[in-house]
């Protein structure tokens, strides 16, 4: 229903939706956070539209390097192991 994503919900980041994609089981909300492209994968029952602002937590987020497209958490673990 999206209730946890709006209306003053606690957030690590706020995403202004540029494009929403209802894909059945999942909904993707595309936008930017701090000028950086960001895609949020949401429950498929969540309706989003251009201009919506979503309050998101990042506890289960995955981040990727835009150049290599590698997961940053894996890259950070590898760098720590090499140090």
């Amino acid at each position: 229903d999206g209730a946890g994503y709006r209306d003053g919900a606690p957030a690590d980041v706020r995403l202004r939706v540029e494009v929403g994609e209802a894909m059945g089981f999942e909904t993707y909300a595309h936008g930017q956070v701090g000028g950086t492209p960001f895609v949020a994968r949401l429950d498929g029952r969540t309706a989003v539209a251009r201009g919506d602002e979503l309050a998101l937590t990042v506890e289960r987020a995955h981040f990727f390097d835009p150049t290599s497209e590698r997961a940053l958490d894996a890259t950070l673990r590898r760098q720590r192991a090499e140090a």
Side-chain angles (χ1 to χ4, degrees):
D1 64 7
Y5 302 115
R6 296 184 179 89
D7 301 326
D12 295 317
V13 296
R14 296 204 177 266
L15 172 68
R16 171 93 40 207
V17 176
E18 295 172 0
V19 175
E21 290 183 280
M23 304 296 286
F25 185 69
E26 302 171 326
T27 296
Y28 292 94
H30 300 261
Q32 293 193 14
V33 172
T36 300
F38 195 96
V39 179
R41 184 176 70 182
L42 309 169
D43 184 280
R45 296 170 291 185
T46 304
V48 294
R50 181 179 180 88
D52 286 353
E53 183 177 277
L54 304 181
L56 305 171
T57 60
V58 295
E59 64 190 39
R60 294 178 50 199
H62 300 276
F63 295 94
F64 297 87
D65 180 279
T67 303
S68 70
E69 298 182 355
R70 294 181 67 140
L72 290 177
D73 60 336
T75 301
L76 292 173
R77 281 196 303 268
R78 189 180 73 249
Q79 289 173 346
R80 287 182 188 141
E82 293 172 354

